[in-house]
Amino acid sequence: MADSYFKSAAAKGPFHDYRAVSVCGGGGPDSGNEGDLCPQSWGMCRIASGGGEGPAVVVYRRVVEQDGTPVTGPPGQWQQVALTCWPERVPGNANALTMGMIRQAFRDTDFTKPTVNIQPEGDVTLVNLPTFFEVQFPEAGFGPDEVDRPDPATLLGHEVEIRPRLTAITYHLGERTVGPTKDLGGPYPDGTVVQTYTRPGEQQVRADIVYSGQFRVGGSGWIDIPGTVELQGTPVTLTVREAKARLYSN
């Protein structure tokens, strides 16, 4: 019954036309910057109350006839009525790119999972011998600072670039854990992620990674994406052997 009431009321008017304009550029409803995006338009929504992830848009409204023609006089002129971080809720603004879409595209990125290079080479070391670890990123997928370009069809036709950023690495070295850290380790003798094993056996070694992300649209500056993605690195089996000294006679 309520639905019938609102349909009836809408049929009687008044009728309104809305326009959402990006806060970038500072123009009015006819400024032509409806599709512009800038770091400010997203940053405003991070500090604003009332929810909504942006981008921030200025909402204009005018009164129109049922066929969409503006009525005569001041009511038919554009009037600024709101500033909102919910651009997708503005009537007629269904093509709004939202942070929710960006965040989902970031999560769908084909991230590179790190591997661990170990020295001594061959994934074999000795008890009481310093062993060096170094994170490496395979070519497959997108690693830190590599730019992904999602299919615009999944983002309402917008050409968005996304780049993962390294937030933290955690080394699981069997006998101990190192991190979270941004240290990628290195080879002998200057590597900074080192473990000296105290007993023989097999150790499961891996480096887990936390990615944060940034995006840009249409050549804008890079903008931070809320949230992170945590991935488990590819494990390596390290064999720790015990060397035994023997004396031989001539």
Side-chain angles (χ1 to χ4, degrees), residues 106 109 111 142-146 162-166 211-214:
F106 170 59
T109 298
F111 296 102
F142 296 90
D145 298 322
E146 295 179 340
I162 291 177
R163 68 175 181 184
R165 306 301 303 273
L166 172 62
Y211 283 111
S212 56
Q214 294 180 317

Side-chain angles (χ1 to χ4, degrees), residues 148-209:
D148 183 19
R149 295 174 176 82
D151 184 355
T154 65
L155 294 164
L156 301 177
H158 296 279
E159 295 186 358
V160 177
E161 294 177 295
I162 291 177
R163 68 175 181 184
R165 306 301 303 273
L166 172 62
T167 296
I169 294 283
T170 300
Y171 296 84
H172 299 274
L173 304 180
E175 290 188 357
R176 73 182 179 115
T177 298
V178 177
T181 177
K182 288 190 175 182
D183 190 344
L184 298 182
Y188 171 86
D190 299 321
T192 51
V193 180
V194 184
Q195 170 66 15
T196 300
Y197 293 93
T198 59
R199 59 182 183 273
E202 290 188 344
Q203 304 286 347
Q204 292 298 309
V205 174
R206 72 175 195 271
D208 297 344
I209 190 168

Side-chain angles (χ1 to χ4, degrees), residues 17-41:
D17 187 14
Y18 290 86
R19 183 163 293 177
V21 181
S22 171
V23 296
C24 308
D30 297 315
S31 63
N33 75 332
E34 290 89 337
D36 292 350
L37 298 171
C38 62
Q40 178 189 4
S41 67

Side-chain angles (χ1 to χ4, degrees), residues 15 51 87 191 202 217 223 243:
F15 304 99
E202 290 188 344
V217 185
I223 302 164

Side-chain angles (χ1 to χ4, degrees), residues 6-211:
F6 287 119
K7 287 182 179 179
S8 176
K12 296 179 180 178
F15 304 99
H16 294 96
D17 187 14
Y18 290 86
R19 183 163 293 177
V21 181
S22 171
V23 296
C24 308
D30 297 315
S31 63
N33 75 332
E34 290 89 337
D36 292 350
L37 298 171
C38 62
Q40 178 189 4
S41 67
W42 304 89
M44 289 177 63
C45 295
R46 296 195 177 184
I47 61 176
S49 60
E53 295 181 313
V57 294
V58 179
V59 182
Y60 291 88
R61 183 178 67 184
R62 63 183 177 184
V63 180
V64 297
E65 303 289 354
Q66 191 168 4
D67 63 0
T69 304
V71 300
T72 57
Q77 299 175 1
W78 289 112
Q79 301 291 328
Q80 181 177 331
V81 294
L83 175 67
T84 182
C85 288
W86 299 95
E88 69 276 20
R89 296 187 179 181
V90 180
N93 199 39
N95 197 44
L97 181 66
T98 68
M99 183 60 80
M101 298 175 190
I102 298 293
R103 190 169 57 247
Q104 186 60 52
F106 170 59
R107 291 174 178 171
D108 291 341
T109 298
D110 180 19
F111 296 102
T112 292
K113 295 181 179 180
T115 60
V116 180
N117 185 63
I118 303 172
Q119 285 191 327
E121 300 289 345
D123 300 335
V124 176
T125 190
L126 298 176
V127 171
N128 297 327
L129 177 69
T131 303
F132 292 76
F133 301 87
E134 180 181 14
V135 165
Q136 296 182 340
F137 294 94
E139 291 186 6
F142 296 90
D145 298 322
E146 295 179 340
V147 177
D148 183 19
R149 295 174 176 82
D151 184 355
T154 65
L155 294 164
L156 301 177
H158 296 279
E159 295 186 358
V160 177
E161 294 177 295
I162 291 177
R163 68 175 181 184
R165 306 301 303 273
L166 172 62
T167 296
I169 294 283
T170 300
Y171 296 84
H172 299 274
L173 304 180
E175 290 188 357
R176 73 182 179 115
T177 298
V178 177
T181 177
K182 288 190 175 182
D183 190 344
L184 298 182
Y188 171 86
D190 299 321
T192 51
V193 180
V194 184
Q195 170 66 15
T196 300
Y197 293 93
T198 59
R199 59 182 183 273
E202 290 188 344
Q203 304 286 347
Q204 292 298 309
V205 174
R206 72 175 195 271
D208 297 344
I209 190 168
V210 178
Y211 283 111

